[in-house]
Structures are given as C-alpha cells and as structure tokens.
Amino acid sequence: MISLAAKPALSGLTDDDLSEWLTARGQPPYRARQIRQDLWRGALIEAMSELPSELRQELTEDFRSHSLEEIRRTEADQASTTKLLYRLEGGYTVEAVVMRYERRTTLCISSQVGCPIGCPFCATGQGSFGRNLRSHEIVDQGVDAARLLRQEGRRLSHLVFMGMGEPMANYEAVLAAVRCLAEPGGLGISPRRITVSTAGLVPRIERLAAEGLPVTLAISLHAARDELRDDLVPINRKYPLAAVVAAADRFGQQTGRRVSYEWVVLAGVNDSERDARELGSLLRGRLAHVNLIPFNPVDDTPYREPEAPALRRFAAQIRAQGLNVTLRDTRGREGDAACGQLRARVERELG
Ligand code: SAH
Ligand code: SF4
C-alpha cells in the first residue's frame, strides 16, 4: 500500500501536467485554474468544494495537497514570531519564520536544505548540504504562512529569502517561485516586497539584474577586505569583493533599487575602526544601505556576539564614513535562537 507521504504533491504539478491529468479524466479545462487558485489559498483537496466529489476523490487517490508537512511550531516574542519546521519529500526538513509587525507581516523563507557555501559563523552552513528546494516547495512556504495569517485576520505582506540556503545557488527554482508568489491571482506579493539575500554569486546577480524583476537585493558582505571575507564568506575566493560590488551596482542601475549590504557583527573580528574605514571606501557614493546584524551565537563556532556599546560605536564609525547604516536590537532571540537572528536581520530592511 502506498503511504500518504509517498504521493506527489498536487501543488508540484506544472500547469501542463495538471491539465493533462484532468483531460484524461474528462474534466473541462477550467478546472485546472480552479484547483490552482484553491491551492494558492492553502486549501486541501477535501475542501475544494466547487469540485465534483468524484473528482476530489480521484485527486486524493493520486495526490496529497501540498508539499510541506508541518512538524513543529515555536512561538517567540509574545507570539509575534512563529517559527515553522516542515518536512519535505525525501525526509528533509526546512524552516520558515513568520514575523508580525504593526504594519506588515514578513515571512523568512528557505531555498535549500542546508547550504553549500559554508560560512563559518552560520548554523545552516555548518550542517551538510541536502538538496535544492523545488519551486513549489518555496511557494508552499508562502501559501502556508498566508493561510495561517488569514486565520488571524492578517495578510502576508513581505518575503525575505534569508532562511536556510543560498537562493542564488538555486536560481531557477527561486525565480519561478518569486514569479508565482507575485501572481495577482495568487498571493500577490509585489516583487518590491521580496528580498533576495545572497553571499555574492556574481554571475547569478548579473542574471537577476537582466530579468528586470524589481526585487530587493541584499548582499551579505560581512567584511570589506578580501583577506577577511575569504574566511567569513568562502565563495569570496571565487567572486571577490570588487566583482560582487560591481554586480550589485549593475543590479541597482537596471532596477533602480537600492542595494542592501548585510554585515553580521562578530566581536573582535569585523567590528574595528579599520573595518568601518574599509567599508567606507568600498561603498561611499553608491546607492547602498548597510544593515548591521549582531551575531546570533552558534554552538561550536569561535565567534562571539558584540556588546551593545561596541556595536553602537561601530555603527557610528560607519555613519562617519558617510554611509546609511541601521542597527537593530536583538528582539527575536528568545525561545529557539537558531532563527531568532532572522527577525533582527529582517527588521531594518523593509522598515
Ligand atoms: N545564503 C544567503 C541567505 C541566507 S542567510 C546569504 O548568506 O545571504 C541570511 C543572512 O543571515 C545572511 O546575511 C547571513 O550572513 C546571516 N546570518 C547567518 N548566520 C548568522 C548568525 N549566526 N547571526 C546573525 N546573522 C547570521
Ligand atoms: Fe549559506 Fe548564507 Fe549561511 Fe553563508 S550565511 S552558509 S551563504 S545560508
């Protein structure tokens, strides 16, 4: 007997495959659209009430509704943060985090199981790489969060690719997911409210610039000299700083969007006046914004989080270089800290 989990997800069918499946069962073509919209609403097959019951029955025999199975939910920050852990096909797990604010609700989304880049301060980078997420698995994170929020009378308004994985290393699936999540007939999240964060895969940043898709690009910089960035963001050995910043500039020119530069502050490693000066020389005069993220401690790493005064001093030194800089508090760290970092990181960006 086939177990439920072994059935393919209906949400993972392409439009063509869905139409073909329906035609083979003598169904009219408009059913495909109906089913797709129900799926975008987060409905289960059993609840697709406008479908004939025999069709629902046939669908349930062949498919499960969505690709993600929620296996754990953790609340933090007086329930304004919800961390969700999902199981995917193949038994892999990924996280997504819902962050509720006064005027917006942001979902931090994962694009890969693990991450092949291996930054030494990052919990995701420490584990082994599993696989790329497929586009519907990315979309389903949005669909599930939107469904959850709708029950609270809230709307999912922003998305950030700052969960597990390097989105630019899973380019096609991420782009297809962004386009789908932006569909007016679906979740309708404008690309401007979608942030793609990258460790700096230069050819992919250039490709993204050429798509003419006005998403917000966030570059994870963390160091403004190659020698240090080679250690902190190993892909820097392949795509050094000058190339990353030049690609980000082109993205800014193509889309008219201001690029965001992320800087995880590691005490005594990248928070000196010298670092601020180097950052100043690298970014001065550019359409850029610097976000300082206090390091969120990860076990078995040699890094420490900075003290508040040191953080403020570093932010002031960067500001003195003539750059726009935001420094956030560390709200979101209670409860399961592994993703608490997301909230701090994500806050400044869209605020
Ligand atoms: N791979 C992409 C996106 C996911 S990581 C990237 O690196 O940009 C999203 C952000 O979280 C990155 O800026 C990353 O540097 C940051 N980050 C990773 N580990 C962290 C930690 N322990 N504390 C604070 N920020 C962290
Ligand atoms: Fe991957 Fe981003 Fe973590 Fe680096 S910081 S290991 S690129 S998820």
Side-chain angles (χ1 to χ4, degrees), residues 67-71 85-89 91-94:
S67 60
L68 309 174
E69 182 195 346
E70 184 184 320
I71 53 172
L85 187 70
Y86 295 109
R87 191 179 358 248
L88 313 172
E89 206 174 282
Y92 293 108
T93 54
V94 285

Side-chain angles (χ1 to χ4, degrees), residues 15-332:
D15 288 342
D16 286 350
D17 289 346
L18 179 56
S19 299
E20 198 179 302
W21 188 94
L22 287 164
T23 311
R25 282 152 188 84
Q27 292 292 331
Y30 66 83
R31 293 276 182 230
R33 185 94 211 129
Q34 266 179 341
I35 292 173
R36 186 68 70 200
Q37 287 192 329
D38 281 342
L39 286 170
W40 278 339
R41 272 205 300 278
L44 300 175
I45 296 169
E46 304 84 279
M48 298 183 178
S49 49
E50 73 283 25
L51 303 183
S53 64
E54 318 78 73
L55 175 57
R56 268 182 277 158
Q57 181 64 36
E58 282 180 302
L59 282 166
T60 343
E61 273 160 24
D62 283 8
F63 305 105
R64 60 202 164 110
S65 309
H66 298 96
S67 60
L68 309 174
E69 182 195 346
E70 184 184 320
I71 53 172
R72 200 181 67 207
R73 191 184 290 202
T74 323
E75 309 278 354
D77 299 317
Q78 288 89 46
S80 65
T81 304
T82 307
K83 180 175 167 182
L84 297 148
L85 187 70
Y86 295 109
R87 191 179 358 248
L88 313 172
E89 206 174 282
Y92 293 108
T93 54
V94 285
E95 293 171 350
V97 185
V98 175
M99 292 162 283
R100 299 168 187 80
Y101 302 90
E102 223 173 276
R103 272 188 228 89
R104 64 176 197 277
T105 307
T106 301
L107 177 67
C108 180
I109 213 164
S110 291
S111 58
Q112 298 183 309
V113 180
C115 179
I117 309 287
C119 305
F121 57 85
C122 170
T124 305
Q126 300 316 289
S128 59
F129 176 65
R131 68 162 168 87
N132 280 332
L133 260 59
R134 296 193 257 285
S135 72
H136 70 282
E137 294 171 324
I138 299 172
V139 171
D140 280 351
Q141 294 171 60
V143 166
D144 194 55
R147 186 188 51 78
L148 192 107
L149 289 162
R150 214 173 296 120
Q151 293 163 358
E152 306 167 11
R154 296 183 79 103
R155 214 179 83 80
L156 176 61
S157 60
H158 292 76
L159 282 174
V160 293
F161 280 85
M162 292 191 179
M164 295 167 75
E166 165 52 49
M168 291 293 94
N170 185 14
Y171 189 90
E172 275 89 7
V174 165
L175 257 277
V178 166
R179 293 209 156 96
C180 183
L181 289 158
E183 279 265 330
L187 294 189
I189 301 171
S190 144
R192 289 168 193 280
R193 294 177 167 200
I194 301 180
T195 298
V196 177
S197 178
T198 177
L201 274 63
V202 168
R204 303 290 167 85
I205 296 171
E206 305 206 320
R207 204 166 146 195
L208 185 65
E211 307 270 356
L213 197 63
V215 292
T216 300
L217 179 68
I219 304 280
S220 293
L221 207 61
H222 315 323
R225 63 175 181 280
D226 283 314
E227 178 207 0
L228 177 58
R229 197 166 188 271
D230 282 350
D231 289 341
L232 297 181
V233 188
I235 194 79
N236 192 69
R237 291 174 209 152
K238 190 159 180 197
Y239 305 116
L241 277 163
V244 173
V245 173
D249 278 351
R250 280 193 289 280
F251 179 87
Q253 283 150 15
Q254 291 281 332
T255 59
R257 312 279 298 149
R258 183 178 73 168
V259 175
S260 207
Y261 287 90
E262 313 292 304
W263 192 285
V264 172
V265 185
L266 307 163
V269 173
N270 66 352
D271 61 350
S272 68
E273 176 143 35
R274 173 186 176 193
D275 293 294
R277 275 199 311 271
E278 288 168 349
L279 185 58
S281 333
L282 189 70
L283 296 185
R284 203 173 300 115
R286 295 191 141 89
L287 194 64
H289 184 97
V290 178
N291 290 305
L292 295 184
I293 312 155
F295 173 59
N296 192 23
V298 176
D299 289 347
D300 302 322
T301 68
Y303 304 106
R304 284 179 302 113
E305 76 180 292
E307 306 278 348
L311 205 55
R312 281 196 296 273
R313 191 200 56 221
F314 186 52
Q317 287 166 346
I318 295 173
R319 203 163 289 124
Q321 294 292 320
L323 303 181
N324 279 312
V325 58
T326 330
L327 162 62
R328 288 292 159 168
D329 64 20
T330 51
R331 263 193 317 144

